[in-house]
Amino acid sequence: MSGDNIFQLFAFLLPAVVTGAVAFYFFRLHTKNEEGRRRFLLHKDSQKDTLPIRLQAYERMVLFLERISINSLVVRVAPKSKDKSEYENLLIKQVETEFDHNLSQQIYMSEECWNIIKAAKNATIQIIRSAGMSETDSPDKLREDILNQTMEKQSPSATALAFVKKEVGDLW
């Protein structure tokens, strides 16, 4: 084979290689676009099915946060006896029971949102316990102390509720 023949071979081969490379590139681009489109359609279909369930979970968590907010909790749960520590335990039990009823909702929300809700629950319990350490001896005085502690600052439930509302807004 002479140099002319090799040059001629490359002259014929070069357009075929370029055409093959361009065809491969466009085929690859097309398959990526199709895969993205299919993924989008699947996501859209699954979102259509799961969005109502997720919204229902957020609604339940909003209800939970409203029920454990200090103001509504203290008003809703009246003392059953004259023992301050019994009332403190009753309030904490109410918060824990409400939380236990909603544990399964965590699978429908982000981990960050769930952690904020748990932090609100724990902070509410901490407020009740710290008020229970006061020198008061009656449940009614304990109620006052708990309410006074939350008068000066935003309740943990309100902070968590704001985050839940923001996350629900991001779903759209």
Side-chain angles (χ1 to χ4, degrees):
M1 250 190 169
S2 70
D4 250 356
N5 286 346
I6 292 175
F7 180 71
Q8 211 174 19
L9 182 63
F10 278 122
F12 290 129
L13 201 57
L14 184 63
V17 169
V18 169
T19 304
V22 169
F24 177 75
Y25 172 74
F26 280 118
F27 179 72
R28 188 180 207 171
L29 187 65
H30 175 71
T31 55
K32 279 187 180 180
N33 284 342
E34 280 298 308
E35 183 181 326
R37 187 176 71 80
R38 280 190 208 116
R39 191 175 293 131
F40 171 75
L41 290 174
L42 281 173
H43 180 69
K44 184 178 168 187
D45 284 346
S46 70
Q47 183 129 10
K48 181 176 70 173
D49 296 336
T50 61
L51 186 62
I53 296 169
R54 289 186 72 193
L55 287 174
Q56 198 173 39
Y58 283 110
E59 287 172 2
R60 287 193 56 181
M61 294 320 296
V62 166
L63 182 61
F64 163 73
L65 291 169
E66 288 293 336
R67 288 182 61 83
I68 70 162
S69 74
I70 296 294
N71 294 338
S72 69
L73 181 68
V74 171
V75 169
R76 190 179 75 249
V77 179
K80 294 181 179 179
S81 71
K82 297 292 181 190
D83 185 19
K84 175 187 84 165
S85 64
E86 188 177 310
Y87 182 60
E88 176 186 346
N89 290 334
L90 178 66
L91 289 173
I92 292 171
K93 185 176 186 234
Q94 283 288 319
V95 172
E96 292 288 351
T97 303
E98 289 286 336
F99 185 73
D100 289 344
H101 284 304
N102 293 294
L103 272 175
S104 64
Q105 304 309 312
Q106 66 183 299
I107 63 174
Y108 299 110
M109 54 189 56
S110 72
E111 189 170 340
E112 182 182 12
C113 184
W114 184 251
N115 288 337
I116 288 173
I117 290 169
K118 284 193 317 187
K121 174 197 75 121
N122 293 334
T124 302
I125 290 172
Q126 185 61 37
I127 289 170
I128 294 168
R129 285 200 171 125
S130 67
M133 291 179 177
S134 66
E135 298 297 319
T136 61
D137 57 351
S138 75
D140 291 325
K141 184 67 176 142
L142 178 63
R143 286 172 113 175
E144 277 182 44
D145 291 346
I146 292 171
L147 288 172
N148 287 337
Q149 278 190 9
T150 58
M151 291 286 203
E152 299 154 4
K153 57 186 176 188
Q154 188 176 16
S155 75
S157 294
T159 305
L161 188 58
F163 186 84
V164 169
K165 286 179 182 179
K166 178 190 159 300
E167 188 160 299
V168 168
D170 292 344
L171 287 176
W172 306 109

